[in-house]
Amino acid sequence: METRKKTALVLGGGGARGAYEIGVWQALRETGQKIDMVFGASVGAINGAMVVQDAFDLAVTLWKEAKTEMVIDTSLIKSKRSPLRKLLEQYIDEAAIRASGIDFGLVTIELPSLTPHHLFLSEIPEGKLIDFIQASAALIPAFRPHDIDSVKYVDGGYADNLPVEMAIRKKADRIFAVDLDSGIKRKDAIKKAANLTMIHSKWDLGNILDFDGTKAGRSIRLGYLDGLKALGMYDGSSYCFSKGEMDRRSLDTAEAAGRIFLLDPKLIYTKNYYLERLADSVGQYRAEAEHEINGFLERMKSVRPEIEHLPKLLSMINSRSATLILADFLKHHNSAVDALMAKPLLALFKEEARVAGYLLKEGFL
């Protein structure tokens, strides 16, 4: 009988960006991915503990209700018991974690030697798990070093913010690693990890110290969609598309257009729905910026012999206006001479030019 392959979830540190990891976990849960081991640094250790407890609804509640003052002591006179400690004691169940049968581990750094410690659950004394999770998340200067039995520890992300090595040591057959784009990553471990799926947001997840329920809700949704894409359920990079509706080249250009015209990344799109939303956004922006765009075009009527001035002028307006102006230019200047003159210009505004061509091809303009 074939032995079932073991799956590891590795969660990176990143403070308030950690809500994204809950969304990835949601995608894994909904698609029936059994998680056999969880390793994390900093907020990844906190989220990892929630995963091991299988406390998904509780984790969502925590993130959607969290505020900065509930996590970080912002008062002038610091209390001995930090707000983070109160949250950890409220949400982390050490007994449930030890009884789960799931491997768990975290990273922290000992002071003053700056020695990193990659600790598996079996290496953490009973009754000390919350202490070591707090130590792993002790991000200086937002938090003080955490004292455990007269030894001080700080955030593990300063040494290894995405502890893939721990999954390798536990012989994971498949690894899902969620990178929050903060801290130090050990590239050697990432390179040697077999069957590794890296998941990270193409969108800005915000300030690592800005805990806000509304922002957390957005991050959870983005993590969920990225998790589903990583599992092959949907296509796309910045956006989420129904499977198989567009080839890779068309998809890349469509996504560039969505980024420029600010389509919502929290939605799941069919090709037709995406094009409808894009057409609406282009039309609305063109109407709002008509005066700016038309004024620019009027000034450009005599620019053909002075096309070298276009890059400087275009750089003074936003990407949406530049895209529409380039689309108008491409539409009305399509001779061989024009194409030769425009080549340096289009190279400077590569993404805007690509999207301009896409809008013309799709008949938006």
Side-chain angles (χ1 to χ4, degrees), residues 242-278:
S242 296
K243 194 76 177 171
E245 286 200 318
M246 285 190 271
D247 61 66
R248 183 55 186 267
R249 184 174 180 180
S250 297
L251 189 60
D252 287 347
T253 309
E255 291 201 293
R259 289 191 296 270
I260 286 177
F261 286 95
L262 308 179
L263 294 197
D264 188 351
K266 301 191 302 299
L267 303 178
I268 297 175
Y269 294 95
T270 63
K271 178 181 178 180
N272 287 338
Y273 182 51
Y274 191 78
L275 292 176
E276 288 171 9
R277 294 298 295 263
L278 181 59

Side-chain angles (χ1 to χ4, degrees), residues 141-288:
F143 301 95
R144 291 172 296 193
H146 187 60
D147 192 301
I148 304 174
D149 298 330
S150 300
V151 179
K152 294 187 182 300
Y153 298 89
V154 293
D155 196 300
Y158 290 121
D160 186 2
N161 202 47
L162 196 64
V164 170
E165 175 68 30
M166 299 185 79
I168 296 173
R169 287 168 58 187
K170 284 291 183 175
K171 303 188 184 309
D173 298 293
R174 185 175 188 184
I175 304 170
F176 293 99
V178 187
D179 180 14
L180 299 178
D181 292 322
S182 60
I184 296 171
K185 294 185 285 289
R186 288 186 52 192
K187 295 181 181 179
D188 58 330
I190 292 171
K191 285 181 179 179
K192 74 179 180 181
N195 209 0
L196 170 66
T197 300
M198 292 283 288
I199 304 172
H200 64 95
S201 179
K202 303 300 187 298
W203 301 94
D204 183 3
L205 297 177
N207 188 304
I208 63 173
L209 299 180
D210 184 12
F211 292 85
D212 175 89
T214 300
K215 293 175 182 176
R218 173 183 179 271
S219 294
I220 290 171
R221 177 65 177 176
L222 292 176
Y224 172 65
L225 295 180
D226 285 346
L228 291 177
K229 286 183 285 185
L231 291 164
M233 307 297 290
Y234 292 94
D235 289 334
S237 177
S238 301
Y239 293 93
C240 190
F241 293 90
S242 296
K243 194 76 177 171
E245 286 200 318
M246 285 190 271
D247 61 66
R248 183 55 186 267
R249 184 174 180 180
S250 297
L251 189 60
D252 287 347
T253 309
E255 291 201 293
R259 289 191 296 270
I260 286 177
F261 286 95
L262 308 179
L263 294 197
D264 188 351
K266 301 191 302 299
L267 303 178
I268 297 175
Y269 294 95
T270 63
K271 178 181 178 180
N272 287 338
Y273 182 51
Y274 191 78
L275 292 176
E276 288 171 9
R277 294 298 295 263
L278 181 59
D280 288 344
S281 183
V282 170
Q284 181 180 349
Y285 181 74
R286 185 163 195 131
E288 291 173 356

Side-chain angles (χ1 to χ4, degrees), residues 31-136:
T31 54
Q33 299 290 323
K34 178 173 172 53
I35 299 170
D36 302 286
M37 52 191 82
V38 184
F39 308 109
S42 196
V43 74
I46 298 172
N47 284 335
M50 304 295 284
V51 173
V52 175
Q53 290 173 212
D54 196 26
F56 176 74
D57 291 337
L58 194 64
V60 171
T61 299
L62 167 62
W63 278 102
K64 289 192 174 181
E65 293 183 357
K67 298 178 181 178
T68 300
E69 59 270 22
M70 294 170 58
V71 181
I72 302 170
D73 189 349
T74 57
S75 62
L76 294 176
I77 302 175
K78 307 294 183 184
S79 62
K80 291 184 178 180
R81 192 162 174 266
S82 72
L84 176 61
R85 179 67 182 204
K86 295 175 186 177
L87 283 178
L88 294 178
E89 290 176 352
Q90 181 179 351
Y91 286 95
I92 302 299
D93 184 340
E94 179 173 348
I97 291 171
R98 292 190 182 275
S100 69
I102 297 174
D103 279 329
F104 176 67
L106 53 81
V107 188
T108 187
I109 300 173
E110 181 183 336
L111 295 181
S113 64
L114 300 179
T115 303
H117 293 280
H118 293 72
L119 300 173
F120 295 104
L121 184 60
S122 60
E123 299 171 313
I124 298 173
E126 294 220 15
K128 296 290 185 179
L129 181 58
I130 290 177
D131 277 303
F132 278 98
I133 291 173
Q134 184 175 353
S136 182

